[in-house]
């Protein structure tokens, strides 16, 4: 007696469609968190380098603490913009 093996059929069920959508959402969330985390780490490192004096700015920005602080605030605002952009679309 010969047994024929049948491959399972590809049926698009509601559950499989939901799983595909959930996987896409998880990947999008993971990428968003990774982008914001990397940019946040760069802002943290740059801020620590500014505090210790390893990084110096050109003369117009280095003239006062306000100039140095404004550069750091611009980086933090950039972090906020990147986070809103990467987490948008929900």
């Amino acid at each position: 007696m010969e047994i024929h093996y049948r491959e399972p059929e590809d049926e698009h069920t509601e559950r499989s469609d939901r799983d595909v959508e959930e996987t896409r959402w998880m990947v999008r969330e993971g990428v968003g968190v990774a982008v914001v985390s990397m940019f946040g780490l760069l802002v943290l490192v740059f801020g620590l380098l500014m505090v210790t004096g390893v990084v110096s700015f050109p003369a117009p920005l280095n003239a006062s603490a306000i100039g140095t602080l404004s550069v750091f605030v611009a980086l933090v605002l950039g972090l906020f913009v990147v986070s809103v952009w990467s987490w948008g679309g929900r």
Side-chain angles (χ1 to χ4, degrees):
M1 180 173 217
E2 189 175 319
I3 299 175
H4 295 287
Y5 177 73
R6 245 180 44 195
E7 298 260 342
E9 296 177 13
D10 257 351
E11 294 181 20
H12 292 289
T13 62
E14 182 180 334
R15 182 176 172 89
S16 67
D17 291 341
R18 189 173 55 222
D19 286 344
V20 166
E21 186 61 34
E22 187 173 315
T23 302
R24 285 184 186 152
W25 179 82
M26 287 186 336
V27 167
R28 184 177 39 212
E29 289 292 314
V31 168
V33 168
V35 166
V36 171
S37 297
M38 287 187 291
F39 193 71
L41 184 62
L42 287 175
V43 169
L44 176 67
V45 167
F46 192 70
L48 291 173
L49 288 173
M50 283 175 29
V51 168
T52 59
V54 175
V55 175
S56 62
F57 296 109
L61 293 176
N62 204 14
S64 66
I66 294 174
T68 305
L69 185 61
S70 65
V71 170
F72 189 70
V73 168
L75 286 174
V76 170
L77 286 176
L79 174 64
F80 179 72
V81 168
V82 168
S83 65
V84 168
W85 171 77
S86 67
W87 286 330
R90 282 189 199 69

